[in-house]
Amino acid sequence: MQEGNGQGSEKKSNIQQLWDTALKTTQDTVKNLVRPATCYVQAMQKKIELTVLSRKITMAQNDLGKRIDKARDTQTANIFEDAEVKAALETLDQMKQTAARLNEEIANLQSQAAPKSSDNDEPKA
C-alpha cells in the first residue's frame, strides 16, 4: 500500500514538473511576442517627440535668423556677442542635442524590436 502512495506522489510530482515547464514556456513565448510590440510603441512615441522637436528647432532657427537680421540692420558690431543671439544659439544647441539623443533611442528601440533572424527560418531551395 505504501508503494502505491509513493508512485502516486511521484506521478503527481512529474505532472507538476510538466505543468511548470509548460507554464514557463508559455510565459517566455508571451514575453517574446510582447517585447517587440512594446519597443515599437516606444519608438513611435519617440518619433512623435522628435517630430515636435524638429518643428521647434525650425522655429528657433527662424527666430535666430530674424534676430541676426535685426542686429545687422541696426549695424550692431559682433552680432554673435548680442545676448539675444547667444541665448537663441544656446537654445538651439540644447534642442539639437535632445534630437540626437532621441535618434539614438529610436535606433536602439528599433534594433530591439526587429525579429532576430536565424538560419532555420530561411526556406531551403
Side-chain angles (χ1 to χ4, degrees):
M1 185 151 174
Q2 289 178 354
E3 290 178 18
N5 268 349
Q7 288 177 353
S9 66
E10 185 179 317
K11 196 179 226 184
K12 190 174 185 179
S13 175
N14 288 341
I15 291 173
Q16 184 65 37
Q17 287 176 348
L18 287 172
W19 179 254
D20 290 342
T21 303
L23 182 61
K24 180 159 177 28
T25 303
T26 303
Q27 289 173 340
D28 290 345
T29 302
V30 168
K31 286 179 187 177
N32 289 336
L33 292 174
V34 170
R35 181 165 175 81
T38 302
C39 289
Y40 178 78
V41 168
Q42 290 173 345
M44 289 301 107
Q45 290 172 340
K46 300 280 183 189
K47 284 184 178 183
I48 291 169
E49 289 176 33
L50 183 60
T51 301
V52 170
L53 186 60
S54 295
R55 290 180 182 163
K56 288 181 181 180
I57 289 172
T58 301
M59 290 183 342
Q61 287 172 334
N62 288 338
D63 183 48
L64 176 63
K66 289 177 185 176
R67 289 174 192 227
I68 290 173
D69 282 344
K70 181 180 172 185
R72 194 170 142 225
D73 288 343
T74 59
Q75 297 181 356
T76 304
N78 297 328
I79 294 173
F80 292 104
E81 297 300 320
D82 184 45
E84 289 182 354
V85 173
K86 277 186 176 181
L89 285 171
E90 288 175 10
T91 302
L92 268 172
D93 287 341
Q94 290 173 353
M95 284 193 262
K96 287 181 179 182
Q97 289 172 356
T98 304
R101 183 184 47 81
L102 284 172
N103 276 325
E104 289 175 13
E105 291 175 6
I106 290 168
N108 187 23
L109 287 168
Q110 286 176 338
S111 68
Q112 290 178 9
K116 295 174 182 161
S117 62
S118 64
D119 296 334
N120 296 336
D121 292 344
E122 295 178 10
K124 295 183 180 180

